[in-house]
């Protein structure tokens, strides 16, 4: 049997969603999201030879389990979003960049055990600009941001928003197109690496913002405009450079054609808890 890490924290964004909604939004491939990391696995914990009762009779026989963040399956093939986002970009972005954030987040938590066992959104809310939070900030943000980003894209395009979510977009931005213009503008203006966001502010109003690096609007002690992320789009060059080179605007336009409005609306309505 394949050994797998003990998992408690991953998929905080989606794991609490109503089952019926989850299946509706994800389809069969996505439904594997919750079980695939555990299937065929046995629990593995970080071991220390001195924890062994034989090596140390004083050690408890039951070792504490390491609580790891893990990367959820992508839910679609690497080439599923092509030509808007090519498979090589997806392979590197999901398999190297995002995976690296998860690995480094777990390493950072080992250096700062006060953050162990926290749901990811709670971890982000406790991030400050202190130097010893920098690894947690970059990699915790990187993990959350990419988990959201993968879920927001839908192979083959996207239906238009509907219902109360569309009504709020319309009243805030004039129209769905008005929102998309604002999102693309925020992404285009973000200097260097970062993210553009649709957030829900504390007063319930929607707003478009951007953050540098892997900062996330849930980092209330760090960002200028805190809020609950509804939509996030990666504007790091690694997200688009192989296909679009310096044409960030073209990539942002392509992202809008992939946007899964059903997922965005479910996050906004808290059917998917963030
Ligand atoms: Mn990225």
């Amino acid at each position: 049997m394949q050994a797998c890490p003990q998992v408690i924290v991953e998929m905080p964004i989606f794991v609490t969603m109503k089952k019926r909604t989850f299946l509706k939004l994800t389809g069969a491939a996505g439904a594997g999201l919750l079980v695939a990391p555990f299937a065929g696995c046995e629990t593995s914990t970080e071991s220390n030879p001195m924890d062994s009762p034989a090596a140390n009779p004083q050690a408890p026989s039951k070792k504490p389990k390491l609580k790891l963040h893990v990367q959820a399956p992508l839910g679609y093939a690497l080439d599923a979003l092509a030509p808007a986002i090519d498979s090589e970009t997806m392979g590197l972005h999901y398999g190297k960049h995002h995976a690296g954030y998860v690995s480094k987040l777990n390493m950072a938590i080992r250096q700062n055990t006060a953050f162990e066992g926290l749901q990811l959104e709670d971890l982000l809310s406790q991030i400050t600009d202190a130097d010893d939070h920098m690894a947690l900030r970059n990699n915790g943000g990187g993990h959350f941001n990419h988990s959201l980003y993968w879920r927001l894209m839908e192979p083959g395009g996207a239906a238009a928003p509907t219902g109360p979510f569309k009504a709020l977009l319309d009243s805030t931005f004039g129209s769905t197109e008005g929102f998309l213009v604002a999102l693309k503008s925020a992404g285009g203006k973000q200097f260097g690496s970062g993210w553009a966001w649709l957030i829900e502010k504390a007063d319930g109003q929607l707003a478009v913002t951007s953050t540098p690096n892997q900062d996330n609007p849930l980092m209330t002690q760090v960002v200028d405009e805190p809020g609950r992320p509804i939509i996030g789009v990666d504007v790091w060059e690694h997200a688009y450079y192989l296909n679009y080179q310096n044409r960030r605007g073209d990539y942002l336009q392509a992202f809008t054609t992939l946007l899964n409005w059903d997922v965005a609306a479910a996050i906004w309505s808290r059917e998917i808890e963030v």
Side-chain angles (χ1 to χ4, degrees):
M1 184 176 280
Q2 181 186 357
C4 294
Q6 174 71 9
V7 175
I8 66 153
V9 181
E10 176 51 21
M11 296 175 285
I13 301 171
F14 311 110
V15 76
T16 54
M17 122 190 249
K18 295 169 188 170
K19 184 178 180 185
R20 186 178 302 165
T21 305
F22 180 84
L23 294 172
K24 175 185 163 194
L25 294 176
T26 60
L33 192 70
L34 289 176
V35 297
F38 311 100
C41 299
E42 61 184 10
T43 299
S44 172
T45 59
E46 192 171 64
S47 63
N48 178 341
M50 290 309 293
D51 289 342
S52 159
N56 180 0
Q58 303 303 313
S61 59
K62 194 167 185 179
K63 291 171 282 191
K65 290 172 179 168
L66 180 65
K67 298 164 184 171
L68 291 174
H69 293 264
V70 297
Q71 187 180 25
L74 186 58
Y76 43 81
L78 293 176
D79 62 357
L81 303 180
I85 300 181
D86 62 283
S87 61
E88 186 178 9
T89 293
M90 288 295 294
L92 290 167
H93 200 179
Y94 175 82
K96 300 296 184 184
H97 291 279
H98 184 189
Y101 295 126
V102 177
S103 173
K104 291 173 185 172
L105 171 62
N106 288 320
M107 286 192 285
I109 291 172
R110 290 190 185 95
Q111 302 299 316
N112 199 332
T113 54
F115 287 82
E116 186 178 0
L118 294 179
Q119 293 286 319
L120 192 50
E121 58 264 44
D122 294 331
L123 184 153
L124 299 186
S125 74
Q126 296 182 27
I127 296 289
T128 73
D129 60 3
D131 287 346
D132 65 355
H133 282 188
M134 190 54 73
L136 293 159
R137 177 178 175 177
N138 289 337
N139 296 296
H143 182 25
F144 184 108
N145 299 350
H146 289 86
S147 298
L148 177 63
Y149 176 69
W150 307 131
R151 285 299 317 278
L152 284 166
M153 293 185 287
E154 178 182 38
T162 57
F165 182 56
K166 173 178 168 48
L168 184 55
L169 286 172
D170 288 351
S171 67
T172 307
F173 301 102
S175 63
T176 302
E177 185 57 31
F179 157 66
L180 292 175
V181 167
L183 184 72
K184 289 183 283 188
S185 176
K189 290 176 182 172
Q190 171 59 42
F191 181 75
S193 299
W195 290 73
W197 303 97
L198 175 69
I199 62 169
E200 182 190 54
K201 298 187 291 185
D203 63 4
Q205 296 294 305
L206 296 181
V208 167
T209 70
S210 65
T211 57
N213 305 316
Q214 295 295 353
D215 285 355
N216 178 293
L218 291 172
M219 298 177 184
T220 56
Q221 303 175 75
V222 170
V223 298
D224 293 333
E225 294 182 276
R228 188 168 67 92
I230 309 298
I231 292 172
V233 55
D234 191 342
V235 296
W236 284 58
E237 287 184 347
H238 67 226
Y240 62 87
Y241 212 84
L242 291 178
N243 204 4
Y244 295 94
Q245 292 80 51
N246 62 329
R247 302 190 309 277
R248 184 187 286 186
D250 290 353
Y251 154 73
L252 284 165
Q253 173 60 34
F255 172 82
T256 66
T257 68
L258 298 169
L259 188 53
N260 188 330
W261 291 103
D262 290 342
V263 169
I267 292 170
W268 170 74
S269 67
R270 298 182 186 272
E271 288 182 84
I272 296 173
E273 292 293 336
V274 177

